[in-house]
Amino acid sequence: MNGGDEVVAASADPSLPLEWRFSQVFGERSAGEEVQEVDIISAIEFDNSGNHLATGDRGGRVVLFERTDTNNSSGTRRELEEADYPLRHPEFRYKTEFQSHDPEFDYLKSLEIEEKINKIRWCQTANGALFLLSTNDKTIKFWKVQDKKIKKICDMNSDPSRTIGNGTVASSSNSNITSSCLVNGGVSEANNSLCTDFSLPPGGISSLRLPVVVVTSHESSPMARCRRVYAHAHDYHINSISNNSDGETFISADDLRINLWNLEISNQSFNIVDVKPAKMEDLSEVITSAEFHPTHCNMLAYSSSKGSIRLIDLRQSALCDSHSKLFEEPEQAGPKSFFTEIIASVSDIKFAKEGRYLLSRDYMTLKLWDINMDAGPVATFQVHEYLKPKLCDLYENDSIFDKFECCISGNGLRAATGSYSNLFRVFGVAPGGTETATLEASRNPMRRHVPIPSRPSRTLSSITRVVSRGSESPGVDGNTNALDYTTKLLHLAWHPNENSIACAAANSLYMYYA
């Protein structure tokens, strides 16, 4: 998408639907294998280059993957096609993992703080090192991951062929200790065996050679180090973190507040949004997600449990009590049910790469907003409209409170979000587009393919056009298979430069390309 009304054209005809193919899977479980709770993936994020992918799980671990096919060819896609170079799909490999968070206990509130990773955000790279932020419910950590050359110790005084007990002499310090034992004469029983098993070389040790650390090969090993810990700034559970385009600051959001941090300062933050009322019984909505604008460092958006999205400008005041723009669905005529407000709660928001369009996900729908038009969404996509008759059952088993994420392609032409039975849906969001696809997180993603409708149903108003697309038959997926509400695809990410999607199904990471 450009700054104007037109959408940037893709290399191929954007009106043609994509054909999605399976690429890779990490952590695939065999049939009947029980999934451990700590292994379930809870966060996915590509870096800005698309060459690295990070996942976080409920066990507090962060796993990094790196792309392996980037050095196989050079030149643009068009140049490679003209040269008849065989294009390959993106391939990633495991890079490293580290324990980001551990379970804690808040003694003041008698509250257990679980180690689950809620969000991961990549920061700007520097000097060949990777930087990222990870957070659980209370604490944010800033990590540096850098490849370190493998080094070994060599050039010792002692003969490596001579052994002490069951091990090889490791350093000259052993010979010094043993020598002192022989000179002093009085040794303990523990050291007696060392003294009897070791003898000085003929003529003694002529000179002292300290251990020398050398690089014995070109191998390197990635090392993760926690640079900073941002703690004790949130009374409620953190649901979002987002980097600023200035590369220096980031925000963290909980249910009632949004704080602004400097990456270099971990003991101080500024509260920029506070929706906590004077009396908690007057609380009517909470913050559900927050995101910085991708290019304007002074703008950010946050969503609420009432289905509204607020755009704020940090230049207006230090505490942004008022918003610049409010985006919400026009009031619908007719009676409201007990579930109306629950299903309207926005679970995730994402800016398009150029920043004009904003994607939001509530329980039933995916909406595309134009930040220059606050009268209503530009388009609305039905994710699982067939669940409306089952809202009572979903409320009883708490599925109605599931927080599905959404993502938008780098060119802004398509968006994706998850559903139940490990399904995810891809929609064409370009004006006039009709693309709708349902895929399953498995080696055969098109097994439950939903045919693309010939024309979307549309409703026109005098202010804005709303496109409603993707409705299906009640209670089943595209192939009349009963949905499994215990297997849900909550987390997914779109590659920033290519049509490639990574999604999490329990403890398995599936990757697809088109």
Side-chain angles (χ1 to χ4, degrees):
M1 298 177 181
N2 257 336
D5 296 334
E6 296 182 357
V7 178
V8 175
S11 56
D13 186 353
S15 63
L16 296 177
L18 297 178
E19 182 180 351
W20 291 95
R21 300 179 178 89
F22 170 78
S23 175
Q24 287 176 282
V25 60
F26 297 93
E28 186 178 28
R29 64 183 187 272
S30 57
E33 181 184 353
E34 185 177 353
V35 179
Q36 300 296 321
E37 181 78 10
V38 295
D39 295 331
I40 296 177
I41 298 174
S42 56
I44 302 179
E45 186 77 6
F46 280 104
D47 71 346
N48 289 333
S49 68
N51 293 331
H52 295 91
L53 174 68
T55 65
D57 61 28
R58 295 186 182 181
R61 292 164 299 195
V62 172
V63 183
L64 303 185
F65 301 88
E66 64 180 355
R67 189 163 178 175
T68 60
D69 63 319
T70 53
N71 296 326
N72 294 338
S73 58
S74 59
T76 64
R77 183 184 182 94
R78 183 179 299 276
E79 290 172 349
L80 295 175
E81 288 176 347
E82 291 174 353
D84 199 23
Y85 191 95
L87 289 170
R88 300 180 62 187
H89 64 81
E91 292 182 359
F92 285 78
R93 69 180 177 189
Y94 169 87
K95 181 178 178 68
T96 188
E97 68 179 84
F98 55 90
Q99 189 70 32
S100 175
H101 289 74
D102 294 302
E104 301 175 28
F105 189 81
D106 188 336
Y107 292 96
L108 294 178
K109 298 182 179 179
S110 297
L111 179 68
E112 290 184 358
I113 304 172
E114 61 180 354
E115 64 271 32
K116 186 189 80 166
I117 305 297
N118 291 340
K119 294 290 181 181
I120 296 174
R121 289 293 181 267
W122 290 91
C123 302
Q124 294 179 357
T125 60
N127 300 324
L130 304 174
F131 295 89
L132 53 89
L133 291 165
S134 63
T135 184
N136 65 352
D137 287 339
K138 295 291 185 180
T139 305
I140 307 165
K141 295 186 179 182
F142 183 48
W143 292 91
K144 176 182 180 180
V145 182
Q146 191 171 27
D147 289 338
K148 297 291 187 180
K149 294 291 185 180
I150 297 178
K151 298 180 179 180
K152 295 182 180 180
I153 298 177
C154 65
D155 290 345
M156 300 301 216
N157 273 53
S158 55
D159 185 0
S161 63
R162 300 295 300 272
T163 60
I164 295 179
N166 294 327
T168 303
V169 176
S171 70
S172 59
S173 60
N174 286 331
S175 62
N176 295 336
I177 294 173
T178 308
S179 176
S180 63
C181 291
L182 294 173
V183 172
N184 294 334
V187 295
S188 64
E189 291 295 327
N191 291 332
N192 199 24
S193 60
L194 296 179
C195 297
T196 56
D197 289 345
F198 184 84
S199 60
L200 290 172
I205 299 177
S206 58
S207 62
L208 178 63
R209 295 200 306 274
L210 294 176
V212 178
V213 179
V214 298
V215 178
T216 58
S217 67
H218 295 289
E219 295 180 5
S220 59
S221 176
M223 301 290 292
R225 184 164 64 93
C226 184
R227 294 287 303 274
R228 287 175 186 84
V229 177
Y230 312 90
H232 312 301
H234 288 277
D235 293 329
Y236 306 94
H237 290 177
I238 299 173
N239 55 49
S240 303
I241 53 175
S242 179
N243 304 83
N244 198 345
S245 59
D246 62 10
E248 298 179 357
T249 56
F250 70 95
I251 56 170
S252 59
D254 63 21
D255 293 338
L256 298 179
R257 294 186 177 94
I258 299 178
N259 293 334
L260 177 67
W261 301 82
N262 188 298
L263 283 169
E264 301 298 325
I265 304 172
S266 60
N267 59 358
Q268 185 182 39
S269 65
F270 297 94
N271 179 227
I272 56 176
V273 175
D274 190 346
V275 300
K276 184 178 180 180
K279 297 180 180 180
M280 287 300 289
E281 53 264 29
D282 296 332
L283 182 66
S284 60
E285 62 180 335
V286 296
I287 298 170
T288 57
S289 183
E291 188 88 0
F292 256 122
H293 192 279
T295 57
H296 299 314
C297 63
N298 58 289
M299 293 175 60
L300 64 94
Y302 69 92
S303 59
S304 80
S305 57
K306 279 192 170 181
S308 61
I309 302 173
R310 290 172 172 85
L311 189 70
I312 62 176
D313 191 336
L314 298 177
R315 298 171 299 184
Q316 290 183 343
S317 63
L319 183 62
C320 301
D321 292 324
S322 60
H323 50 265
S324 301
K325 288 189 178 180
L326 175 65
F327 305 97
E328 57 185 358
E329 193 84 56
E331 191 74 20
Q332 298 291 330
K336 295 183 178 181
S337 71
F338 170 76
F339 306 108
T340 300
E341 188 170 317
I342 298 177
I343 63 176
S345 176
V346 177
S347 58
D348 191 27
I349 57 174
K350 291 287 194 313
F351 274 103
K353 193 173 184 179
E354 48 76 37
R356 174 169 176 177
Y357 293 90
L358 182 66
L359 192 69
S360 69
R361 170 68 201 267
D362 56 45
Y363 188 71
M364 285 294 183
T365 64
L366 190 68
K367 294 184 176 72
L368 184 70
W369 306 80
D370 186 338
I371 65 172
N372 295 332
M373 299 167 54
D374 54 4
V378 175
T380 299
F381 308 93
Q382 302 295 336
V383 179
H384 36 220
E385 184 74 8
Y386 47 79
L387 293 182
K388 273 194 174 179
K390 299 178 177 294
L391 292 180
C392 287
D393 296 334
L394 294 167
Y395 180 78
E396 290 294 330
N397 60 26
D398 287 338
S399 294
I400 200 172
F401 301 105
D402 289 334
K403 306 299 182 185
F404 291 96
E405 295 180 0
C406 60
C407 59
I408 190 166
S409 61
N411 58 14
L413 298 179
R414 294 172 180 85
T417 190
S419 183
Y420 294 102
S421 294
N422 285 338
L423 300 178
F424 66 98
R425 309 205 63 191
V426 180
F427 300 96
V429 298
T434 61
E435 181 177 356
T436 302
T438 300
L439 302 99
E440 182 184 28
S442 68
R443 290 181 176 270
N444 183 13
M446 305 303 291
R447 183 169 61 181
R448 304 196 185 198
H449 175 68
V450 173
I452 300 170
S454 56
R455 293 287 294 174
S457 57
R458 298 183 179 180
T459 59
L460 298 177
S461 67
S462 59
I463 304 176
T464 182
R465 180 193 65 190
V466 178
V467 182
S468 180
R469 209 154 64 227
S471 300
E472 295 162 353
S473 55
V476 295
D477 64 11
N479 282 356
T480 67
N481 298 307
L483 289 174
D484 181 5
Y485 303 115
T486 62
T487 57
K488 57 198 76 173
L489 200 150
L490 302 176
H491 312 286
L492 74 172
W494 201 301
H495 191 284
N497 306 316
E498 301 176 6
N499 287 321
S500 176
I501 295 178
C503 56
N507 67 325
S508 302
L509 175 66
Y510 287 90
M511 305 190 71
Y512 303 93
Y513 72 100

